[in-house]
């Protein structure tokens, strides 16, 4: 082989190596030099607070909030990097308290090759009411991710506590816009990576904690609890949760299992929400569902002055004087929580709205719950 041939072959090899290096450089950079993505989170930024929290966030009903997808990646030295549009990031503990903020130097916008799409879901019970049969346990309660097709596939989206299948409201013009922004909702994000817009199937997917994590550790799951201010707060928080109905003569093991779900804010019973509304909790709260317990609980409420009393609708009892939001109203075994004045302005009547827990948490008119044949209701004042 003469000298010129060897030079030509050497030049071709050099060019081939350079071309291969240019071709492989993005892959090497992405797979080796860039931080390696390991998992995803959902962070919640309340109003314009400037910080997003991963965990259980409590807000007053109607307060706007934003959901931020977060991709956590690890550098070669073991340090974490968080890709997100959140301005700042914290992880809350099981008591809802923030730990040390993630250093600002560890938070960055996605600046790597490819396209990112975020699929948003809410995690909810399979049905609004779970009626347990004899022999079934509390583990019958199941959660599923519900894809929110109407939410943008972007890193950040406006948050909502509305369930995916919201059949709790059927009141037409009697509801004011934004008046039902209360309840408990949990969020799940699936972050998908694509080479470009033409790619149909994602090259990689990373998901935030899902239903299994919710059952294992609900106290740190990305959750918004939106409560009404004042006395109706406890009842408003259970909207979006599954109501559990137990069989007659349920064993203590089942009652204890359901009580644990209630304590974890994963479910409620018709009685548990009323007991909590009266300020009763822990060992005082029963997981059963009998009229006797509801009536008897009034005499054990923290405020000894509270007692059931008749209220006569024909006498036009005044709102915020005789009755108020958060009060209990009862006829026989049916107990509701008074919510909003929607009938004759300023007085209690059957056109007013209530929270009803006969079959899941719903907002209904009093006239749709009670027959309206009698002007007398039993009233337990809690809202003043």
């Amino acid at each position: 082989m003469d000298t010129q041939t060897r030079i030509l072959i050497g030049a071709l090899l050099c060019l081939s190596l350079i071309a291969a290096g240019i071709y492989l450089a993005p892959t090497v950079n992405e797979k080796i030099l860039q931080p390696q993505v390991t998992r995803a989170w959902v962070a919640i930024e309340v109003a314009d607070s400037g910080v997003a929290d991963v965990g259980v966030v409590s807000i007053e009903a109607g307060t706007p909030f934003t959901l931020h997808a977060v991709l956590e990646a690890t550098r070669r030295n073991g340090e974490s990097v968080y890709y997100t549009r959140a301005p700042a990031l914290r992880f809350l503990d099981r008591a809802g308290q923030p730990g040390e903020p993630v250093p600002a130097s560890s938070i960055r916008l996605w600046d790597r090759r490819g396209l990112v799409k975020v699929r948003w879901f809410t995690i909810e019970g399979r049905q609004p009411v779970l009626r347990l049969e004899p022999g079934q346990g509390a583990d019958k309660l199941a959660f599923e991710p519900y894809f929110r097709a109407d939410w943008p596939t972007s890193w950040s989206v406006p948050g909502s506590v509305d369930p995916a299948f919201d059949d709790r409201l059927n009141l037409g013009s009697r509801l004011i816009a934004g008046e039902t922004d209360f309840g408990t909702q949990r969020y799940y994000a699936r972050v998908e990576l694509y080479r470009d817009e033409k790619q149909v199937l994602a090259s990689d997917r990373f998901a935030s904690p899902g239903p299994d994590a919710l059952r294992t550790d609900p106290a740190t799951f990305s959750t918004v609890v939106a409560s009404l201010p004042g006395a109706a707060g406890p009842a408003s928080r259970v909207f979006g949760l599954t109501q559990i109905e137990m069989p007659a003569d349920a064993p203590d093991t089942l009652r204890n299992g359901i009580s644990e779900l209630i304590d974890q804010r994963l479910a409620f019973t018709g009685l548990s929400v009323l007991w909590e509304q009266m300020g009763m909790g822990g060992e005082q709260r029963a997981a059963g569902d009998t009229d006797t317990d509801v009536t008897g609980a009034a005499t054990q409420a923290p405020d000894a002055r509270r007692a059931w009393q008749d209220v006569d609708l024909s006498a036009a009892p005044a709102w915020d004087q005789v009755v108020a939001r958060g009060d209990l109203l009862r006829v026989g075994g049916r107990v509701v929580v008074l919510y909003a004045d929607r009938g004759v302005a300023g007085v209690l009547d059957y056109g007013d709205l209530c929270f009803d827990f006969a079959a899941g948490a719903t907002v209904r008119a009093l006239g749709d719950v009670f027959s309206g044949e009698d002007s007398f209701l039993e009233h337990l004042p809690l809202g003043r």
Side-chain angles (χ1 to χ4, degrees):
M1 183 180 298
D2 58 31
T3 301
Q4 289 186 340
T5 301
R6 286 197 299 268
I7 293 173
L8 179 60
I9 294 174
L12 291 174
L13 287 173
C14 289
L15 290 173
S16 299
L17 290 172
I18 293 172
I22 294 173
Y23 178 78
L24 295 174
T27 301
V28 171
N29 181 58
E30 188 70 23
K31 298 296 185 182
I32 299 177
L33 302 181
Q34 288 277 20
Q36 297 304 295
V37 178
T38 56
R39 53 185 170 178
W41 303 97
V42 173
I44 301 156
E45 180 185 5
V46 178
D48 55 355
S49 64
V51 60
D53 294 315
V54 178
V56 180
V57 175
S58 296
I59 62 174
E60 184 174 309
T63 304
F65 62 96
T66 301
L67 302 176
H68 296 283
V70 180
L71 278 183
E72 181 179 351
T74 305
R75 292 191 177 105
R76 298 178 68 186
N77 63 3
E79 295 179 352
S80 292
V81 174
Y82 298 88
Y83 295 99
T84 181
R85 289 184 182 171
L89 189 64
R90 300 182 300 192
F91 286 81
L92 307 184
D93 63 19
R94 286 174 174 78
Q97 298 302 311
E100 289 295 324
V102 173
S105 59
S106 297
I107 300 174
R108 61 179 62 175
L109 296 173
W110 183 260
D111 56 359
R112 296 161 63 166
R113 63 185 301 210
L115 178 69
V116 176
K117 293 183 180 180
V118 182
R119 313 291 182 181
W120 290 99
F121 300 75
T122 50
I123 302 292
E124 305 174 27
R126 288 179 180 172
Q127 63 265 73
V129 182
L130 174 61
R131 296 178 174 87
L132 296 177
E133 301 294 333
Q136 292 180 331
D139 57 354
K140 188 70 175 177
L141 177 64
F143 297 92
E144 291 184 352
Y146 290 91
F147 178 51
R148 308 309 292 256
D150 54 328
W151 294 7
T153 58
S154 57
W155 282 89
S156 302
V157 298
S160 169
V161 296
D162 282 343
F165 301 105
D166 193 352
D167 57 358
R168 61 182 178 163
L169 307 171
N170 187 21
L171 296 166
S173 60
R174 282 179 287 185
L175 283 172
I176 298 173
E179 196 175 37
T180 58
D181 296 336
F182 51 78
T184 299
Q185 190 57 271
R186 293 165 169 110
Y187 306 96
Y188 165 73
R190 191 173 66 211
V191 185
E192 301 178 346
L193 309 183
Y194 297 82
R195 289 189 302 272
D196 52 47
E197 294 183 356
K198 297 180 180 179
Q199 186 178 358
V200 177
L201 299 178
S203 302
D204 233 334
R205 292 184 178 88
F206 299 91
S208 65
D212 292 341
L214 174 58
R215 287 303 296 261
T216 303
D217 194 8
T220 61
F221 199 91
S222 295
T223 304
V224 169
V225 181
S227 306
L228 289 171
S236 68
R237 287 193 290 268
V238 305
F239 279 76
L241 302 182
T242 296
Q243 180 174 342
I244 298 181
E245 294 183 1
M246 291 183 295
D249 301 322
D252 288 343
T253 53
L254 177 57
R255 291 180 180 274
N256 292 338
I258 292 175
S259 184
E260 182 178 0
L261 294 176
I262 294 169
D263 290 338
Q264 294 174 328
R265 303 294 182 187
L266 294 176
F268 71 97
T269 68
L271 180 60
S272 73
V273 66
L274 297 177
W275 274 64
E276 188 171 358
Q277 185 66 19
M278 290 184 286
M280 316 290 281
E283 295 181 357
Q284 294 175 309
R285 184 198 61 226
D289 196 8
T290 66
D291 170 46
T292 302
D293 288 334
V294 174
T295 307
T299 63
Q300 305 174 46
D303 187 345
R305 296 170 298 172
R306 293 171 179 165
W308 291 96
Q309 53 195 258
D310 286 342
V311 60
D312 184 3
L313 270 63
S314 65
W319 268 82
D320 299 323
Q321 296 181 31
V322 179
V323 299
R325 174 182 287 183
D327 289 356
L328 302 188
L329 296 175
R330 174 177 180 267
V331 173
R334 195 70 172 271
V335 184
V336 299
V337 178
L338 190 57
Y339 173 40
D341 182 9
R342 286 294 179 275
V344 177
V347 302
L348 180 69
D349 57 34
Y350 280 112
D352 294 338
L353 304 183
C354 65
F355 296 158
D356 182 30
F357 305 100
T362 58
V363 177
R364 305 184 67 187
L366 290 175
D368 294 334
V369 177
F370 306 123
S371 67
E373 297 175 356
D374 194 338
S375 64
F376 285 92
L377 302 174
E378 290 185 81
H379 171 228
L380 183 64
L382 300 176
R384 291 180 291 111

